[in-house]
Amino acid sequence: MQTAEATPVRLAAPGRRPGPLRRAIRELALVAVLFGAYKLGRLAVVGRAGTAVANGEFVWHLERLLRLPSEVALQHPVLSAELLARLANSYYAYVHFPATIGCLLWLYLRRPAHYRWTRRGLAALTAAALALHLLVPLAPPRLTPLTGMVDTGSRYGPAVYGPPGTDEVSNQYAAMPSLHVGWAIAVGVALVATTAGRRRWLWLAHPIVTALVVVVTGNHYWLDGIVATAMLAIVLMLLPAPADGDRPSGRSWGCPRGRPDRPPGSTRCRVGAPAGGWRRARERRRVVRGAAATRRR
């Protein structure tokens, strides 16, 4: 009697992850959705310039009540130095998107769990910011005559925005919260969390410089950055933490290769060393010395 051999059937694993191409398409689709929402936000504020300016005046008076530093006092010395003004405008125009995209690309390739965490944080922050932009249109200081601030982009260049009435790309009445500041903080936090060594804290220079630049150029109030920081903190607290396996290696930047496990008395290689690593290394050396002494006997 012949027995028919069953042809093996390959079933797709239920938890199989999509390929690189599908993941890349999904990420691009997310960016496209956010960009489309931003464009719709611009259309929604058409004809509300008067409300946006009134809200800007309210924020200006509120900052004075809160005793926040004057944006005019920070901008004044920059106006007398054209080079500084151009550098600030260039940082505002050319660093924001490339720094964010570069960070996401590096995380995507090297720290996938932190990439998903950062991407979700940026998406949630951007969605919440767009909702606030629609509900509360806010003119930036450069478009609020009461502030007396100058539009450094139009005066010195390079300029990011055109006249508000003819700008077909961006919503200029969406000052609060500042996505420039929010995204920069997200980038700094992600890079500090995924790199090792003391110098990793230098990544925080990006959000600090961004916060100063957006004020100096007249594009944001101090409260715009403060609100963005608070919203990002809430978003990151609500998101699940990245997987432990995505943490940076124990070797710090200043530690020689192969020597990440010096004892706590050494300050050069202590930062980022795995817990107990120097003790394990000392035990290994003790075992090796014991074995060598036994062979000599």
Side-chain angles (χ1 to χ4, degrees):
M1 185 174 62
Q2 295 180 349
T3 304
E5 295 183 358
T7 303
V9 179
R10 293 185 178 180
L11 299 177
R16 188 175 181 181
R17 298 177 60 186
L21 180 59
R22 290 182 60 185
R23 292 199 299 270
I25 293 175
R26 185 178 60 190
E27 302 303 327
L28 290 176
L30 175 62
V31 174
V33 168
L34 292 176
F35 182 76
Y38 188 82
K39 293 284 289 183
L40 291 176
R42 177 196 165 273
L43 296 176
V45 299
V46 172
R48 302 177 66 187
T51 303
V53 172
N55 291 336
E57 294 176 352
F58 172 79
V59 170
W60 182 260
H61 289 304
L62 180 59
E63 287 188 337
R64 306 291 76 80
L65 290 175
L66 296 176
R67 304 296 180 128
L68 293 178
S70 172
E71 290 90 344
V72 176
L74 184 65
Q75 187 188 61
H76 182 71
V78 176
L79 296 178
S80 59
E82 182 176 348
L83 178 59
L84 288 179
R86 287 183 175 274
L87 288 176
N89 293 333
S90 299
Y91 199 94
Y92 183 86
Y94 304 132
V95 176
H96 175 54
F97 280 108
T100 305
I101 294 173
C103 172
L104 289 175
L105 180 62
W106 185 84
L107 293 174
Y108 183 80
L109 297 175
R110 302 294 298 274
R111 301 283 187 267
H114 273 84
Y115 166 76
R116 291 188 291 272
W117 181 66
T118 305
R119 180 203 62 189
R120 292 167 183 166
L122 287 175
L125 173 65
T126 303
L130 292 177
L132 189 58
H133 293 165
L134 295 177
L135 294 174
V136 186
L138 179 66
R142 58 184 174 82
L143 296 180
T144 305
L146 176 67
T147 65
M149 296 196 70
V150 175
D151 185 351
T152 60
S154 61
R155 172 176 291 190
Y156 299 105
V160 178
Y161 309 109
T166 60
D167 193 345
E168 299 293 334
V169 178
S170 57
N171 175 13
Q172 297 194 41
Y173 298 112
M176 182 181 290
S178 170
L179 286 179
H180 268 73
V181 174
W183 285 21
I185 295 176
V187 167
V189 169
L191 293 177
V192 168
T194 54
T195 54
R198 293 175 178 174
R199 281 179 284 180
R200 74 185 189 278
W201 298 105
L202 293 177
W203 293 119
L204 297 181
H206 174 51
I208 293 174
V209 173
T210 300
L212 295 175
V213 163
V214 299
V215 172
V216 164
T217 55
N219 286 291
H220 286 285
Y221 306 91
W222 291 118
L223 281 178
D224 298 339
I226 294 173
V227 171
T229 304
M231 292 175 63
L232 179 63
I234 294 173
V235 167
L236 295 183
M237 285 190 297
L238 294 177
L239 290 177
D244 291 339
D246 201 35
R247 296 186 183 278
S249 61
R251 180 174 174 267
S252 65
W253 293 1
C255 188
R257 191 175 297 277
R259 295 293 301 278
D261 49 4
R262 289 189 178 183
S266 174
T267 58
R268 183 180 181 187
C269 301
R270 183 172 58 192
V271 177
W278 68 275
R279 295 188 183 90
R280 289 193 294 270
R282 186 174 62 184
E283 291 298 329
R284 287 196 297 269
R285 290 193 295 269
R286 184 179 301 170
V287 170
V288 170
R289 285 197 296 266
T294 303
R295 286 197 299 268
R296 285 196 297 269
R297 294 194 189 113

